[in-house]
Amino acid sequence: MKDLALANAGKFIDPDLTAKGEPRATVSLTAPKTLWFNTGTLCNIACLNCYIESSPSNDRLVYITADEVTDYLDQIEERRWPISEIAFTGGEPFMNPEMIEMAARSLARGYEVLILTNAMRPMMRRKMQEGLIELNAAYPGKLTLRISVDHYEAALHDAERGIGAFEKTLTGMKWLRDQGIRMAVAGRSIMAHSEAESRSGYAAFFARYDFDINAQDPAMTVLFPEMDETVEVPEFTTACWGILNKSPDALMCASSRMVVKRRGAERPSVLACTLLPYTPEFELGNTLEEAEGAVALNHPHCAKFCVLGGASCSA
C-alpha cells in the first residue's frame, strides 16, 4: 500500500493553491449548528483504525472541564451563533469524570446534547448511570447517545475493537434501552457491499434487541466512510463546487467547530474539524470569534470523507 507521501505527493501543501496552481476551495462558517467538545483522547480500548488514536495511554488531548465548557457556552451567546446542538466526543467521553456535569450545563442552556460512546464499562459505572437517568428525566427528548457499532455482527465488530467488545457494547445498549434513553448508532461503510445491505443488517440487529433506532435514517444510523490517508485523493478547487453540483454549505466545517485541550496548554483551542485534531493548520485560535473564518480544504480527509464521502459527524 502506498504511504501518504507517495499517494498525495505535492498535494495539500499550500492553503490557497492546489498542486496545479488553481485556487483551493474553502468553506465559510455560514450557519453554526453544532459545537463539539473533545473530552480527552483517553479511552478504555484501542481500536484498530481509530482516527484520533485514542487508547488507555493517549492523553495528547487532556480532559476538558465543565467550567471550560461553560466558557464556550457563554461565547456562543456572546457571538449569537445559532447553535442547536452540543456534542461530546473522545476518546471515550465517559472516561472524563465531569462528563455528566458538562452535559447537564449544556442541557440547562436549552441545547440538545449528543454524546459519542462505545457504551462499555466507563458508561456503565454507577455515577454515570445515575447521571444519565437524571438528565434524561429532567430533559426528555434532548439527550442522545450515539453508540459505536462498527458492524452488526460480533466477529467483524470485534476485529476492530477487540475480542468481547461487541457483547460489552450490547450490554450497555440494552441498559440504555431499558432506561428509555435515546440511542443512535455509528457504523462503518466498508463493512458491507452496499449501503442498502448495511442498513438492512442494522435494521435486523435493532429489531432483534428491540432497539428504537431507525436504520434508514442517516442521522440515527450514521455510516462513516473510511479515512485512509494512504489513498490518493483529488484536491478541490473553487470550480469543483459547480462541477460536482455540491454546495460548501453542506460540509461539516460550514456548521460546526470543535474545542480541544492539548496536553500542557493553558486553555482550550478551537479547531475547524472533528477529524483533524493533530493538524496545526486546522487550529483556528482559542475563541469562537477567532474560529469564524473560512477553512481551506487542504487535507485528504476534506476530499475523501466530507466532499466525496458526503459524511458528517452531526445529525
Side-chain angles (χ1 to χ4, degrees):
M1 181 179 289
K2 295 183 292 185
D3 62 22
L4 177 59
L6 292 176
N8 295 291
K11 298 180 181 179
F12 305 106
I13 297 173
D14 188 327
D16 299 317
L17 299 173
T18 68
K20 294 181 179 180
E22 299 172 298
R24 187 178 301 282
T26 61
V27 175
S28 298
L29 185 70
T30 52
K33 174 189 173 185
T34 303
L35 184 61
W36 288 86
F37 290 94
N38 187 293
T39 60
T41 39
L42 287 174
C43 186
N44 55 303
I45 58 175
C47 297
L48 190 62
N49 292 306
C50 179
Y51 79 96
I52 202 170
E53 301 171 0
S54 297
S55 75
S57 60
N58 180 8
D59 64 348
R60 290 176 68 182
L61 302 181
V62 298
Y63 289 153
I64 201 163
T65 69
D67 286 345
E68 287 166 338
V69 167
T70 295
D71 177 58
Y72 285 96
L73 298 180
D74 291 341
Q75 290 184 49
I76 290 172
E77 296 177 3
E78 291 167 5
R79 303 303 302 167
R80 297 185 179 181
W81 281 20
I83 293 288
S84 60
E85 176 185 63
I86 302 297
F88 297 92
T89 184
E92 167 52 49
F94 289 103
M95 295 278 285
N96 187 315
E98 297 190 36
M99 183 63 256
I100 296 299
E101 180 63 20
M102 293 186 290
R105 295 189 187 189
S106 302
L107 289 163
R109 297 285 187 107
Y111 300 111
E112 294 188 10
V113 165
L114 174 68
I115 305 174
L116 277 55
T117 177
N118 56 37
M120 295 171 73
R121 187 166 185 171
M123 188 198 78
M124 295 294 280
R125 289 178 293 167
R126 182 176 177 180
K127 178 181 177 181
M128 298 300 173
Q129 288 183 320
E130 291 176 347
L132 287 171
I133 291 170
E134 291 175 4
L135 291 178
N136 194 53
Y139 303 97
K142 302 288 282 186
L143 174 67
T144 301
L145 270 62
R146 183 189 291 166
I147 318 300
S148 298
V149 183
D150 291 321
H151 197 270
Y152 42 82
E153 293 180 359
L156 290 174
H157 178 90
D158 286 0
E160 170 72 15
R161 295 178 178 263
I163 296 173
F166 185 85
E167 286 301 321
K168 292 174 183 176
T169 290
L170 185 57
T171 297
M173 293 180 73
K174 290 177 179 177
W175 180 82
L176 291 167
R177 174 201 64 195
D178 294 343
Q179 307 310 314
I181 297 172
R182 184 165 59 190
M183 290 185 285
V185 155
R188 295 170 61 207
S189 60
I190 198 173
M191 295 278 193
H193 295 300
S194 68
E195 180 174 339
E197 177 191 62
S198 189
R199 293 196 180 280
S200 176
Y202 278 106
F205 168 65
F206 299 153
R208 185 180 314 127
Y209 296 104
D210 195 27
F211 295 148
D212 185 17
I213 305 172
N214 186 346
Q216 305 306 321
D217 183 349
M220 299 306 292
T221 302
V222 187
L223 299 179
F224 288 114
E226 294 303 295
M227 295 180 288
D228 186 351
E229 293 186 20
T230 67
V231 174
E232 183 176 5
V233 293
E235 294 185 286
F236 281 87
T237 70
T238 54
C240 287
W241 301 120
I243 295 170
L244 296 172
N245 194 28
K246 285 181 175 284
S247 169
D249 293 345
L251 268 65
M252 195 161 50
C253 45
S255 60
S256 69
R257 292 290 186 263
M258 182 171 77
V259 179
V260 306
K261 189 171 184 181
R262 304 193 187 283
R263 184 178 58 212
E266 293 184 4
R267 56 186 301 193
S269 301
V270 186
L271 309 185
C273 178
T274 61
L275 306 176
L276 299 168
Y278 307 131
T279 308
E281 58 264 38
F282 287 87
E283 184 166 323
L284 305 177
N286 299 116
T287 68
L288 296 188
E289 181 179 8
E290 292 172 306
E292 290 177 342
V295 176
L297 302 185
N298 193 30
H299 193 279
H301 286 350
C302 303
K304 190 172 190 296
F305 187 84
C306 294
V307 180
L308 296 177
S312 173
C313 290
S314 296

